[in-house]
Amino acid sequence: MRRQDFSFDLPQELIAQDPLKDRASSRLLVLDKETGETSHHVFREIKDYLHPGDCLVINDTKVIPARLIGSKIGTDAKIEILLLKRKEDNVWETLVKPGKKAKPGARISFGEGLLIGEVIDVVEEGNRLVRFTYEGIFEEILDQLGQMPLPPYITHQLEDKNRYQTVYAKHSGSAAAPTAGLHFTPELLREIKDEGVDIASVTLHVGLGTFRPVKVDNILEHHMHSEFYQIEESEAEKINRAKEKGGRIICVGTTSCRTIESAADENGHLRAGSGWTDIFIYPGYKFKILDCLITNFHLPESTLLMLVSALAGREHVLAAYEEAVKERYRFFSFGDAMFIK
């Protein structure tokens, strides 16, 4: 399978730059994975497609304001750091720009010395390990100094930090939002629950590896970054119970999907626990537990588009994307949604 098999033409102006005022007013393209048939809706109509006994799986990770802009102590050179992964208490794996100014031993000041970072090592792909020193609580300082790490294709400034969080974000640790969840409002979730649909929360801290472009022609040679996940016993029980009783498991986003597929055994039974996953789902993959997926529209040639193609078939997905372009759907993180049933 070649990377180019997952290419499509996307006009630049269809990349959504700002979130809609009303989360649930995004458009929703419904795709039947068996027939390839599509229909067009508003996102809040998703509840018409969920049935009593189904289980909706959400990722309750919280995005941290992981983008820090500081200056190198000694030269005052501007340095930007993106926090990727906490390695131990005050040591983070980071992406540093410009890298050449961040050799081991370099010290960077943020917020006029409120936070100091020292580069202690260079690891894979040129990422830096940075040890932070500060007084007080790291999360509070980060909240004060950090910016939301919006993807590079979003060039507008985000006015409200919360619009890059789901309404159910709970456990801090992501460098990017699980964007399919951005369409839900507390009212919509309540209505879904009232209809007899169970809602299970899992946690997967989204790393930027998810968005790393596939650079190799043969997609099987692509290396996925690992991401930390956690599934509580009570939530695994909800999912297993729904499955046993014939309900559908409907994941909100590719991150929830990858979490439960990583933690399921061959019989489709979900195990509670935590760990790291680097699962790469592409056409030919047999889903162990997921039945349906709510997802946004993804980048051409991305691992996320390959995952969606594994569920609904590459031809069906690319035809649906072509239709979405024709109908002027909004693409990527702040864009519209798709329900694969």
Side-chain angles (χ1 to χ4, degrees):
M1 239 172 311
R2 292 162 56 77
R3 176 182 47 130
Q4 294 84 342
D5 296 338
F6 299 89
S7 198
F8 64 92
D9 290 324
L10 180 68
Q12 194 73 21
E13 69 270 16
L14 294 187
I15 299 173
Q17 291 295 324
D18 302 287
L20 297 179
K21 280 202 163 41
D22 171 12
R23 290 174 183 261
S25 66
S26 305
R27 294 165 77 190
L28 176 69
L29 187 150
V30 175
L31 169 64
D32 185 314
K33 63 180 187 277
E34 305 303 332
T35 64
E37 276 176 41
T38 56
S39 56
H40 304 282
H41 307 268
V42 175
F43 189 80
R44 60 172 50 84
E45 291 170 20
I46 189 73
K47 61 180 190 287
D48 302 338
Y49 288 91
L50 307 177
H51 312 312
D54 287 345
C55 185
L56 192 69
V57 184
I58 58 177
N59 179 7
D60 64 6
T61 187
K62 193 172 188 179
V63 187
I64 55 173
R67 191 165 167 249
L68 290 161
I69 294 165
S71 55
K72 187 174 176 181
I73 295 171
T75 66
D76 268 351
K78 183 186 158 191
I79 290 186
E80 185 179 316
I81 277 188
L82 191 59
L83 305 177
L84 297 179
K85 220 183 262 181
R86 190 177 228 148
K87 296 308 241 184
E88 48 196 79
D89 270 358
N90 295 320
V91 177
W92 285 76
E93 185 176 334
T94 68
L95 202 58
V96 180
K97 285 197 306 203
K100 60 179 182 296
K101 292 196 168 132
K103 295 186 167 64
R107 295 172 77 238
I108 305 146
S109 168
F110 305 95
E112 296 176 351
L114 205 56
L115 183 66
I116 304 285
E118 184 185 349
V119 180
I120 55 174
D121 201 2
V122 180
V123 290
E124 62 170 326
E125 294 182 13
N127 291 350
R128 267 56 177 175
L129 290 187
V130 175
R131 180 183 288 117
F132 290 101
T133 50
Y134 50 89
E135 280 182 19
I137 297 166
F138 183 73
E139 282 71 18
E140 287 177 4
I141 293 168
L142 197 57
D143 216 36
Q144 191 181 331
L145 302 179
Q147 299 173 15
M148 278 304 190
L150 294 179
Y153 50 74
I154 293 176
T155 56
H156 291 192
Q157 201 63 39
L158 183 63
E159 284 170 27
D160 176 4
K161 270 184 185 177
N162 287 325
R163 289 315 311 272
Y164 195 57
Q165 298 283 20
T166 60
V167 296
Y168 44 75
K170 194 173 170 188
H171 302 291
S172 294
S174 275
T179 53
L182 296 178
H183 305 285
F184 286 93
T185 62
E187 298 75 37
L188 182 54
L189 288 165
R190 228 179 359 259
E191 287 167 21
I192 287 168
K193 234 177 173 162
D194 290 346
E195 281 187 355
V197 176
D198 219 347
I199 299 177
S201 300
V202 298
T203 308
L204 179 123
H205 291 321
V206 190
L208 291 181
T210 308
F211 303 103
R212 249 174 84 235
V214 178
K215 291 185 175 152
V216 287
D217 279 345
N218 175 1
I219 69 166
L220 304 186
E221 292 169 9
H222 177 70
H223 164 66
M224 290 286 277
H225 276 220
S226 62
E227 295 165 315
F228 181 78
Y229 74 86
Q230 188 147 14
I231 303 169
E232 298 295 339
E233 193 68 62
S234 58
E235 307 309 290
E237 272 172 28
K238 285 181 192 174
I239 295 166
N240 289 329
R241 191 168 57 234
K243 197 82 181 161
E244 281 157 21
K245 290 186 172 172
R248 296 172 305 164
I249 307 304
I250 299 159
C251 281
V252 177
T254 54
T255 61
S256 308
C257 161
R258 289 173 51 246
T259 305
I260 65 170
E261 288 296 315
S262 298
D265 65 21
E266 289 313 311
N267 305 315
H269 182 83
L270 188 64
R271 295 174 297 235
S274 62
W276 294 84
T277 177
D278 59 359
I279 190 170
F280 179 17
I281 295 175
Y282 51 84
Y285 179 84
K286 294 277 179 280
F287 287 87
K288 294 182 277 199
I289 196 160
L290 169 135
D291 297 296
C292 310
L293 181 67
I294 296 167
T295 186
N296 278 19
F297 291 91
H298 304 294
L299 278 81
E301 300 185 358
S302 62
T303 59
L304 305 177
L305 185 58
M306 293 166 192
L307 183 154
V308 171
S309 299
L311 181 62
R314 188 179 67 93
E315 288 79 8
H316 287 343
V317 168
L318 290 179
Y321 269 53
E322 203 177 306
E323 191 173 336
V325 168
K326 195 174 87 208
E327 295 290 332
R328 314 292 291 171
Y329 271 68
R330 299 160 73 251
F331 275 68
F332 306 162
S333 295
F334 286 142
D336 295 316
M338 182 188 236
F339 177 50
I340 300 174
K341 68 183 182 82

